[in-house]
Amino acid sequence: MLENVKVILVGTSHPGNIGSAARAMKVMGLTEMVLVAPQCQVDEQTRSLASGAADVAQNAVVVETLEEAIEDCVLVVGSSARSRTLEWPMLEPRECGKKFVEEGQKGKVAIVFGRERTGLTNEELQMCHFHVCIPANPEYSSLNLAMAVQTISYEIRVAFLDWQTSAYPQSEQEAYPRNKELEMFYQHLEKVLYSTQFISKDKPNLVMNKFRRLFSRARLEQQELNMLRGVLTAIEKSTSNDDKSN
């Protein structure tokens, strides 16, 4: 199951942070690192701070966009401070670990960490099903990248060990769609909403962001997503026939 966990670092600017994150991962049994548009190279400083985990950093997959990094994932969780401007389904770190173990047995799951100084953008956070917030001391909540990776990786490992010793049974779950399929659904939905004049082109993101939040909270299963795509297709056929009759 741990082999299905991706640790995704977005826009990392310091090579040492990649090495330290790799060390934090390997200590907890995680090995798949993905670098999204890194602002630095894996170099000697990376390998030095990785210590015995240099292989994790050197084998990291490098991609240009977060969308590409998560397209094969059934669960994506973004690490974020709680925000009043972007309400999104939230997980505590312990909940996050358990959910990774449950869903990671059926497909790829990803935890996403943002840039050292600015974190993840709102657009990137909206690509995630959930956000996770580490409940640090509110008077001094400064966590560096490796610390955050270590904390979440630890919770994933604890949940995995609990599952191994049957602290909680494996739950029967329906299959969840991969993120690539979800994005195709959102594109289809937006197209239909335009054609039915439900949304206007001057403010499309406002409505679509609310739909993304709604469906992230609902956690659509594959069968449910297929049903919704069928509904959208039926609407398209109906409106097309109406246009022809007119």
Side-chain angles (χ1 to χ4, degrees):
M1 171 264 142
L2 295 179
E3 294 178 352
N4 273 341
V5 178
K6 288 186 179 184
V7 176
I8 301 176
L9 309 182
V10 178
T12 311
S13 58
H14 300 293
N17 287 339
I18 297 175
S20 296
R23 183 174 183 177
M25 289 170 56
K26 191 168 184 177
V27 165
M28 296 302 160
L30 306 181
T31 57
E32 186 169 355
M33 174 183 281
V34 180
L35 304 176
V36 176
Q39 303 301 301
C40 60
Q41 300 291 325
V42 173
D43 60 12
E44 190 56 40
Q45 185 181 12
T46 307
R47 290 184 282 273
S48 176
L49 288 177
S51 189
D55 58 316
V56 175
Q58 290 174 328
N59 292 331
V61 175
V62 180
V63 297
E64 286 302 313
T65 66
L66 178 58
E67 187 174 15
E68 184 180 354
I70 62 176
E71 65 179 8
D72 62 342
C73 295
V74 298
L75 174 67
V76 182
V77 178
S79 177
S80 170
R82 292 186 183 274
S83 171
R84 294 182 180 178
T85 60
L86 184 65
E87 295 181 2
W88 214 257
M90 295 292 301
L91 295 174
E92 296 297 329
R94 194 132 301 177
E95 294 177 293
C96 180
K98 183 174 179 179
K99 188 167 283 291
F100 267 51
V101 171
E102 290 173 347
E103 299 192 23
Q105 296 174 61
K106 295 191 175 182
K108 288 286 186 180
V109 292
I111 176 70
V112 185
F113 298 91
R115 300 154 190 83
E116 290 94 334
R117 296 188 64 182
T118 59
L120 296 168
T121 66
N122 281 353
E123 182 180 8
E124 290 163 344
L125 286 168
Q126 288 167 356
M127 295 183 190
C128 304
H129 299 107
F130 298 92
H131 298 168
V132 62
C133 178
I134 298 172
N137 177 5
E139 296 179 3
Y140 186 70
S141 58
S142 177
L143 284 171
N144 65 31
L145 179 60
M147 288 177 180
V149 172
Q150 184 75 82
T151 300
I152 302 300
S153 298
Y154 168 78
E155 294 294 351
I156 294 171
R157 183 161 189 82
V158 167
F160 174 68
L161 295 175
D162 282 348
W163 173 78
Q164 278 192 318
T165 56
S166 299
Y168 52 85
Q170 178 179 354
S171 59
E172 289 296 324
Q173 294 185 352
E174 297 294 333
Y176 289 112
R178 295 172 299 169
N179 201 76
K180 182 178 181 179
E181 294 163 330
L182 272 176
E183 287 301 318
M184 291 172 64
F185 163 67
Y186 288 132
Q187 292 170 13
H188 194 178
L189 175 62
E190 186 172 8
K191 178 184 175 184
V192 172
L193 293 179
Y194 274 137
S195 66
T196 58
Q197 298 182 349
F198 185 84
I199 58 176
S200 58
K201 292 188 176 181
D202 57 336
K203 292 182 180 179
N205 291 335
L206 183 63
V207 173
M208 286 306 302
N209 288 347
K210 289 185 180 295
F211 272 119
R212 280 179 176 269
R213 185 174 65 186
L214 168 65
F215 290 120
S216 291
R217 189 168 61 243
R219 287 294 278 129
L220 292 175
E221 297 168 357
Q222 183 68 60
Q223 187 178 24
E224 294 169 335
L225 185 70
N226 293 341
M227 288 172 60
L228 288 172
R229 291 295 299 270
V231 170
L232 294 176
T233 300
I235 292 172
E236 287 179 312
K237 290 181 179 178
S238 176
T239 54
S240 176
N241 290 336
D242 288 344
D243 290 340
K244 290 178 181 178
S245 64
N246 292 333

